[in-house]
Amino acid sequence: MILAAATNESLAHTSNYLIYSSMAVYTLAFLAHIAEWVLGSRSKVGRTAAALTRTAAPAAAPAVTVQVKTAGEGTAVLDKPKVVTRSAAGARDVPDGPGAAGGTEKGDLYGRMAVSLTTLAFLVEAAGVIARALSVQRAPWGNMYEFSITFSTVATGAYLGFLAAKKNIRWMGLPLVTTVLLDLGVATTWLYTDSDQLVPALHSYWLWIHVSTAIFCGAVFYLGAVATLLYLFRDSYENKLATGGNPGSFARSVLERLPAAATLDKFAYRVNAAVFPLWTFTIIAGAIWAGDAWGRYWGWDAKEVWSFITWVAYAAYLHARATAGWKGRKAAYIALVAFACFLFNYYGVNIFVASKHSYAGV
């Protein structure tokens, strides 16, 4: 018993060390992403993309992105044009920007360094989560600290998964790493809880099913929320250019390198729509677990109510996307409200509301 306790305590210290180490590596990734954006801001490709955006074709003629490569002694080779169509009804067709690196070799080098460092930080953080699980010999989701470190790990894993699947979402790297650092900072500073056993109600195999799906849904919803927020900024930028406006230098430097508003809107919709059925399953699994633990499937507890509110908000978003007059910005606002409901369900309910789900540990 004494030896087992000492081993568990050692694993808990190892977990803490790994989490702090991952924060250090995430910080290096953050700096590399900053360098990618800064060093890619004055590229020729970036200026060309901005010019294409300002002179985008009208809705009747789809716009194209033409990439020029140099082959041999000054021979120009044109890649196959890429057509980008905005999903908002009546909107313009606008080409994607060149990305955070701006098309420069130096910017791309720092971008690839940032992805490599993010991958290393992900592996270190995942090892910290596993060490935490081994120290308590259960799923590492018994309190807000454990949920937070697992959430940021899964969010980073989802981002890297999209990159591994050849999805061009490196533009999300900077906001993602920034958010992960904030999440881990809050977790280690205010939410930290020593390794301990679960309260009796949580001793169930449903912990692995219900909470793991909730974490995965939240991580993917987060990616959708980032894309939605960037869509709103990029859409405003495109509208200003279309009406003859003159955006500021900072807006031009950043927003002209993002994907077109259509691309961001489409990505946000697809990830939210894909994970919504799993969020539905999360609520159903929680109800079944509640029936086993408390003898009732639904009791209008604060966590249950806000989980349902979140479900209704995302359902409204998906319905708005299919409704004439609600596509585009109106639907995007609903998506952000839905993710805000998810965040309140996590932070607000756990910390400020007394309920049967009060397992914050803080």
Side-chain angles (χ1 to χ4, degrees):
M1 292 290 294
I2 297 177
L3 179 60
T7 301
N8 291 342
E9 183 177 356
S10 176
L11 286 170
H13 287 306
T14 300
S15 173
N16 296 340
Y17 173 77
L18 290 171
I19 294 300
Y20 280 108
S21 297
S22 71
M23 293 176 67
V25 183
Y26 276 125
T27 301
L28 295 177
F30 171 80
L31 296 175
H33 275 299
I34 291 292
E36 177 189 18
W37 280 92
V38 171
L39 297 177
S41 62
R42 297 297 178 183
S43 72
K44 181 178 179 180
V45 175
R47 293 194 298 271
T48 302
L52 284 172
T53 301
R54 296 187 188 95
T55 60
V64 297
T65 298
V66 180
Q67 295 179 343
V68 181
K69 296 182 179 179
T70 301
E73 295 287 333
T75 303
V77 180
L78 297 181
D79 285 347
K80 183 178 179 180
K82 177 182 178 182
V83 179
V84 179
T85 304
R86 298 190 58 193
S87 53
R92 302 163 308 280
D93 298 329
V94 179
D96 286 337
T104 64
E105 291 186 7
K106 184 176 292 186
D108 183 64
L109 173 63
Y110 280 102
R112 287 185 283 112
M113 289 174 57
V115 173
S116 299
L117 288 169
T118 301
T119 303
L120 176 59
F122 163 75
L123 294 174
V124 174
E125 186 183 10
V129 173
I130 294 172
R132 177 78 176 198
L134 293 175
S135 71
V136 292
Q137 299 180 357
R138 57 168 172 78
W141 311 316
N143 51 62
M144 286 188 70
Y145 169 74
E146 295 173 353
F147 192 101
S148 294
I149 62 176
T150 306
F151 175 86
S152 57
T153 303
V154 175
T156 305
Y159 163 73
L160 295 175
F162 277 112
L163 290 180
K166 307 300 182 182
K167 302 299 181 181
N168 184 20
I169 64 165
R170 204 165 79 184
W171 45 268
M172 190 178 287
L174 182 57
L176 171 81
V177 172
T178 303
T179 304
V180 168
L181 283 171
L182 289 173
D183 175 74
L184 292 178
V186 170
T188 55
T189 304
W190 291 294
L191 302 180
Y192 181 77
T193 305
D194 290 329
S195 299
D196 201 357
Q197 294 304 309
L198 297 172
V199 297
L202 294 182
H203 281 287
S204 172
Y205 60 89
W206 282 105
L207 175 67
W208 292 92
I209 301 172
H210 172 66
V211 183
S212 64
T213 54
I215 292 174
F216 180 78
C217 289
V220 179
F221 280 148
Y222 162 77
L223 298 182
V226 172
T228 300
L229 187 62
L230 293 178
Y231 156 74
L232 291 173
F233 284 114
R234 172 76 188 201
D235 187 65
S236 296
Y237 175 75
E238 292 177 7
N239 286 336
K240 181 171 288 188
L241 291 177
T243 56
N246 185 26
S249 59
F250 178 80
R252 288 196 302 270
S253 176
V254 174
L255 296 177
E256 73 182 15
R257 285 183 282 164
L258 290 176
T263 304
L264 294 168
D265 186 40
K266 187 183 297 182
F267 175 81
Y269 169 68
R270 286 180 174 176
V271 297
N272 286 331
V275 82
F276 179 73
L278 189 59
W279 180 248
T280 305
F281 170 78
T282 301
I283 296 177
I284 295 173
I288 296 173
W289 187 8
D292 291 343
W294 300 316
R296 53 58 169 185
Y297 293 103
W298 193 267
W300 298 104
D301 182 73
K303 178 72 70 172
E304 297 168 347
V305 169
W306 277 96
S307 295
F308 180 68
I309 291 174
T310 303
W311 184 91
V312 170
Y314 274 108
Y317 163 72
L318 296 177
H319 179 71
R321 288 278 314 194
T323 303
W326 279 88
K327 294 182 179 180
R329 297 185 68 88
K330 291 181 180 179
Y333 292 135
I334 298 176
L336 292 181
V337 169
F339 186 68
C341 291
F342 177 88
L343 289 180
F344 180 80
N345 190 27
Y346 176 52
Y347 287 105
V349 172
N350 283 353
I351 296 177
F352 302 112
V353 180
S355 73
K356 287 182 174 293
H357 292 80
S358 296
Y359 308 127
V362 296

